[in-house]
Amino acid sequence: MSTKQQLTEDMKAAMRGGDKHKLGVVRLILAAIKQREVDERIELDDAQVLAVLEKMVKQRKDSISQYEAAAREDLAEVERAEMAVIETYLPAKLDDAELDALIEAAIAETGASSARDMGKVVGVVKAKAAGRADMSVASARIKARLAG
């Protein structure tokens, strides 16, 4: 079952079960997917749906940090709850050892030797990690690895 089909089934289940919070978040996800499909006039596949979900998580993280800076813990908590539901549709995250191994393999694959080659390595890691790693963390590790 594709991610879009799973989202639709979960929306129906949330309606039947009366889970208003999950229903609202799933509707937000489906609306974001539909918006991108309409904007680009395409049918999104699972990889593209995954990109939409990652973007939504990143937006929630940014909002949380801004709400915390403004001492609005109530709003930050709402964003955390939404982010938790969105993350259930993302694949399991890579642990530190797996991410380091992936970075090493990408460096070997691209023949990178300095910080100038960072773009090539990030591209390979991003393709192989596909939603399983926070790319800001991965980029920092790649930069540190290539610098030293």
Side-chain angles (χ1 to χ4, degrees):
M1 180 181 299
S2 74
T3 306
K4 279 178 27 179
Q5 292 169 330
Q6 181 65 47
L7 283 161
T8 304
E9 291 302 314
D10 288 352
M11 181 178 69
K12 291 175 187 175
M15 277 187 220
R16 282 188 218 108
D19 186 350
K20 292 183 185 216
H21 172 68
K22 184 170 184 175
L23 176 61
V25 176
V26 172
R27 281 182 171 162
L28 280 174
I29 295 168
L30 288 170
I33 292 168
K34 189 67 171 170
Q35 183 65 50
R36 182 154 172 220
E37 287 179 339
V38 169
D39 288 349
E40 298 179 16
R41 294 187 173 98
I42 58 170
E43 181 80 20
L44 297 183
D45 61 13
D46 268 356
Q48 293 165 319
V49 169
L50 187 68
V52 170
L53 293 172
E54 288 174 345
K55 182 178 179 182
M56 291 180 78
V57 168
K58 185 177 186 304
Q59 289 170 337
R60 299 304 177 285
K61 285 180 182 177
D62 292 343
S63 296
I64 289 168
S65 65
Q66 289 177 3
Y67 287 143
E68 287 174 344
R72 291 297 308 264
E73 193 56 42
D74 55 330
L75 296 175
E77 196 54 46
V78 170
E79 295 291 321
R80 281 190 202 93
E82 286 181 5
M83 192 169 71
V85 173
I86 295 167
E87 286 177 336
T88 62
Y89 296 100
L90 292 172
K93 296 289 183 197
L94 295 173
D95 65 22
D96 290 344
E98 291 172 324
L99 181 58
D100 289 339
L102 188 62
I103 290 170
E104 289 300 320
I107 289 172
E109 181 181 322
T110 59
S113 59
S114 69
R116 278 187 274 156
D117 302 323
M118 188 170 162
K120 295 177 195 172
V121 178
V122 169
V124 171
V125 170
K126 188 171 186 176
K128 290 183 179 178
R132 298 180 303 147
D134 183 351
M135 286 311 296
S136 61
V137 172
S139 294
R141 287 187 180 189
I142 292 168
K143 187 174 183 178
R145 171 67 176 79
L146 291 175

